[in-house]
Amino acid sequence: MSIIAHTMQYTGGEMPSPSIALRRYLDTDYPIYREVYNDCFADMRRALGLHPVNCCDGRDILAEKSENIFILEVDNKLAGSVAIYGNEIDDLIVARQYQRKGYGQGLLRFAVARMQRVGISPIMLHVADWNRGAIELYTKNGFRIIKTETV
């Protein structure tokens, strides 16, 4: 099974900070974060024949990465998350009940604005071609495909 993956780079202008408030990941977030993360990637992993379907990092690994993971809460519930590692945006997830409400765009814009504030450039992300909704979101928000690979 081959997977088509795109590397995308931000080519837009200065991104204003979105009006959403995020906080850093805490160890107490793990059970619900794991559930949302696995749910967000399960359909794609099944369609692409990737195993295991549930692929969230373990609690210890996420604790080590916690300073780079940002959580969005809506009504005191984990609605989504985004991670920033160096110059890469990763693991942008939105719980199903909060999808198609602008939260994914808010998380993406938060990450870009945060990276710009500290002078990180270029801003990159990776996305599977299967995930057309994500590609559309990224393209609408200033990202362009700069490389495509089959893995």
Side-chain angles (χ1 to χ4, degrees), residues 84 86 111-121 123:
I84 301 170
V112 170
R114 183 178 183 84
M115 295 166 87
Q116 286 178 331
R117 258 195 329 273
V118 296
I120 294 174
S121 182
I123 297 172

Side-chain angles (χ1 to χ4, degrees), residues 20-33 65-84 106-107 110 114 117:
I20 59 172
L22 281 83
R23 63 168 176 79
R24 295 206 191 263
Y25 171 90
L26 302 171
D27 183 64
T28 54
D29 294 317
Y30 183 74
I32 189 66
Y33 178 90
K65 297 177 175 181
S66 64
E67 70 181 38
N68 300 310
I69 302 171
F70 301 90
I71 301 292
L72 169 65
E73 289 181 319
V74 175
D75 298 327
N76 295 316
K77 293 183 178 148
L78 192 146
S81 179
V82 65
I84 301 170
L107 288 162
F110 165 86
R114 183 178 183 84
R117 258 195 329 273

Side-chain angles (χ1 to χ4, degrees), residues 18-126:
S19 60
I20 59 172
L22 281 83
R23 63 168 176 79
R24 295 206 191 263
Y25 171 90
L26 302 171
D27 183 64
T28 54
D29 294 317
Y30 183 74
I32 189 66
Y33 178 90
R34 181 177 190 272
E35 180 181 318
V36 170
Y37 185 99
N38 285 334
D39 187 50
C40 284
F41 290 107
D43 291 344
M44 179 183 71
R45 291 181 66 83
R46 273 190 208 96
L48 296 174
L50 298 174
H51 298 284
V53 170
N54 291 333
C55 60
C56 183
D57 285 334
R59 191 173 213 138
D60 291 344
I61 292 171
L62 287 175
E64 290 173 18
K65 297 177 175 181
S66 64
E67 70 181 38
N68 300 310
I69 302 171
F70 301 90
I71 301 292
L72 169 65
E73 289 181 319
V74 175
D75 298 327
N76 295 316
K77 293 183 178 148
L78 192 146
S81 179
V82 65
I84 301 170
Y85 302 115
N87 73 327
E88 185 175 344
I89 297 170
D90 198 11
D91 295 335
L92 194 158
I93 58 173
V94 177
R96 283 193 198 265
Q97 65 267 37
Y98 297 102
Q99 291 178 3
R100 309 251 183 265
K101 296 180 180 185
Y103 294 117
Q105 179 170 279
L107 288 162
L108 180 65
R109 289 181 173 185
F110 165 86
V112 170
R114 183 178 183 84
M115 295 166 87
Q116 286 178 331
R117 258 195 329 273
V118 296
I120 294 174
S121 182
I123 297 172
M124 312 294 286
L125 57 80
H126 296 90

